[in-house]
Amino acid sequence: MKNQKEVLILGGGLAGLTAAIHLSKLGLQVMVIEKNGYPKHKVCGEYISNEVLPYFEWLGIDILKINPTLITKLQFSTQNGTTITTELPLGGFGISRYALDFYLYNKAIANGCIFLQETVENVIFDNDEFTITTSIGTILKSKIVIGAFGKRSAIDVKLNRNFILKKSHWLAVKAHYTGDFPNDLVGLHNFNGGYCGVSKVENNAVNICYITNYETYKLYKNNEEFQKLVLSENQHLKILFEKSTLIFEKPLTIGQISFDKKEAVKNHILMIGDTAGLIHPLCGNGMAMAIHSAKIASELVLNYYDCESTSRATLEKEYVKQWKFNFEKRLKTGRFIANLLQQPRISSILMRILVQFPFLLLVIIKKTHGKPIL
């Protein structure tokens, strides 16, 4: 029987909070288990495509209340500083995860969601029901569990997920700065071993977030030396760092970032956001994809509870189908572009082509972005 309409969400990041708001808006009992409190800074590019705005409006989320920057242009440069600037087809906005997650958390609380600040220790599925155990011994049961525990988690290890068994060589670094950077621009700058995203967020802060391979990064003593000797070979980044002042006490770092294929459903858990699949940050669409995946999962869970004839197997099959339809090609495109940019000779040829035929950059953008989420 499905008489008790409740959902447990493991993780209270962007995807988890969005799902919590959606499900609670339509009357489900929602509990979110999140180990961290709010607000909290996270390693993230902090640019969101405007494709999410119709869905946000339906959820009752007024993004203008947290003063995002409105972004209309993309500037892309190669290691040698060759640059292309183009209009973004849909545009987007810059907002920190510190502000956005806190806003969504309060929205979820207002909707009646319950938050438990604990760490999930284990998830067991048996007799058509989940049993979740936390590190301090709390035991919870639910018919439906949504996984939103981010890029990499101890839960992935417990579930023996394929990607977690492989070592990943990607490392990301993020910090906010004061500096002179256009409000309406998102920059994407290639350097030896990685690429760096730059955009304004609220309060006139400049978010600089770069991803690099660990083999290159470990050759240097610290972030400052790496930025000075590697990132600054790209003249755009050199000028940016020289004219910017760090706001954070120190940059945030996260390692072992995997772009390998992940399962959208594992052990009957519906995975959303980065837990289901991570697009290369150079595509600038990870946050919109996380929000969209929360919508897909929420709609199917609601249908599962509302329609007695819908089985768990049908729910899971349909979620995998819709996830692949909306995101699989984008992820493949992201991996392909990232591989090209890591090969200097090929990326140089690609850049010359884009300079001569700039409309091709718009084609690439459309391949990694979706249509407005209705």
Side-chain angles (χ1 to χ4, degrees):
M1 296 292 291
K2 307 174 188 175
N3 52 347
Q4 193 165 5
K5 298 181 179 180
E6 59 184 20
V7 178
L8 267 174
I9 300 176
L10 310 184
L14 184 56
L17 290 167
T18 303
I21 293 168
H22 187 138
L23 293 165
S24 58
K25 172 184 169 72
L26 296 180
L28 269 66
Q29 300 173 37
V30 179
M31 175 179 281
V32 180
I33 307 176
E34 167 57 46
K35 64 182 179 180
N36 297 308
Y38 299 92
K40 178 181 172 62
H41 285 290
K42 292 186 176 181
V43 177
C44 181
E46 300 184 331
Y47 162 83
I48 308 183
S49 165
N50 280 340
E51 65 196 70
V52 307
L53 292 180
Y55 178 46
F56 269 6
E57 183 178 359
W58 180 83
L59 290 174
I61 295 169
D62 183 1
I63 199 69
L64 294 179
K65 284 186 175 181
I66 46 178
N67 302 312
T69 58
L70 305 182
I71 297 171
T72 60
K73 299 174 185 176
L74 166 69
Q75 183 184 72
F76 176 76
S77 74
T78 56
Q79 294 179 35
N80 65 13
T82 305
T83 303
I84 299 175
T85 302
T86 185
E87 296 288 327
L88 288 166
L90 286 177
F93 55 94
I95 190 73
S96 73
R97 292 293 299 277
Y98 186 90
L100 179 59
D101 287 13
F102 190 46
Y103 174 82
L104 297 179
Y105 163 73
N106 284 309
K107 176 70 176 175
I109 290 288
N111 276 14
C113 298
I114 298 171
F115 282 76
L116 185 64
Q117 191 175 344
E118 297 185 25
T119 300
V120 175
E121 186 73 20
N122 203 7
V123 183
I124 296 173
F125 181 80
D126 184 53
N127 196 26
D128 202 38
E129 186 178 53
F130 292 94
T131 301
I132 287 85
T133 307
T134 73
S135 56
I136 64 171
T138 303
I139 297 176
L140 302 161
K141 293 182 181 293
S142 181
K143 290 282 290 183
I144 295 290
V145 169
I146 293 176
F149 35 86
K151 300 175 179 65
R152 194 176 190 90
S153 168
I155 306 174
D156 293 312
V157 178
K158 289 284 186 180
L159 294 174
N160 198 34
R161 299 184 76 190
N162 292 330
F163 83 92
I164 206 76
L165 304 176
K166 304 175 186 177
K167 186 175 180 179
S168 174
H169 298 282
W170 291 104
L171 170 89
V173 180
K174 167 259 183 80
H176 286 175
Y177 296 78
T178 59
D180 184 20
F181 190 83
N183 286 355
D184 63 349
L185 182 69
V186 57
L188 182 63
H189 303 293
N190 198 215
F191 61 87
N192 182 27
Y195 36 89
C196 179
V198 187
S199 60
K200 277 274 190 75
V201 293
E202 76 284 356
N203 299 326
N204 213 33
V206 181
N207 178 44
I208 300 179
C209 185
Y210 63 86
I211 187 164
T212 185
N213 65 70
Y214 181 70
E215 297 302 315
T216 301
Y217 184 83
K218 72 179 183 180
L219 299 175
Y220 301 86
K221 295 178 182 178
N222 49 44
N223 287 324
E224 291 76 15
E225 185 177 75
F226 184 71
Q227 288 170 188
K228 183 178 180 180
L229 298 178
V230 180
L231 273 74
S232 293
E233 289 182 353
N234 182 314
Q235 288 299 306
H236 296 281
L237 293 174
K238 183 176 187 293
I239 293 169
L240 184 67
F241 282 116
E242 286 177 349
K243 295 187 175 182
S244 301
T245 302
L246 183 66
I247 296 175
F248 288 3
E249 182 178 341
K250 62 179 182 180
L252 305 177
T253 305
I254 182 172
Q256 290 286 307
I257 300 172
S258 175
F259 299 104
D260 286 353
K261 188 175 180 180
K262 299 180 180 180
E263 308 95 334
V265 177
K266 179 71 173 183
N267 194 34
H268 305 286
I269 301 171
L270 305 182
M271 306 298 187
I272 61 176
D274 291 346
T275 313
L278 186 60
I279 194 166
H280 276 268
L282 66 90
C283 299
N285 204 38
M287 293 174 74
M289 284 176 54
I291 292 163
H292 193 178
S293 67
K295 178 179 185 289
I296 294 168
S298 297
E299 289 174 342
L300 291 173
V301 167
L302 285 158
N303 182 66
Y304 169 79
Y305 275 127
D306 289 341
C307 182
E308 281 292 330
S309 62
T310 301
S311 66
R312 184 181 297 277
T314 300
L315 164 66
E316 295 174 6
K317 183 178 179 181
E318 185 61 25
Y319 180 64
V320 171
K321 177 183 175 182
Q322 290 197 32
W323 196 94
K324 287 183 176 180
F325 175 79
N326 283 283
F327 308 124
E328 193 167 57
K329 288 183 179 178
R330 296 193 219 178
L331 293 170
K332 287 181 178 178
T333 301
R335 286 193 288 266
F336 177 72
I337 296 170
N339 288 334
L340 288 182
L341 291 179
Q342 292 311 299
Q343 302 176 55
R345 183 175 296 178
I346 294 177
S347 66
S348 178
I349 295 171
L350 175 62
M351 195 64 183
R352 287 199 296 270
I353 294 172
L354 290 175
V355 168
Q356 290 190 13
F357 306 101
F359 72 90
L360 291 175
L361 186 57
L362 290 175
V363 173
I364 293 171
I365 293 170
K366 289 178 180 178
K367 288 285 186 181
T368 57
H369 287 64
K371 298 178 181 178
I373 303 168
L374 303 173

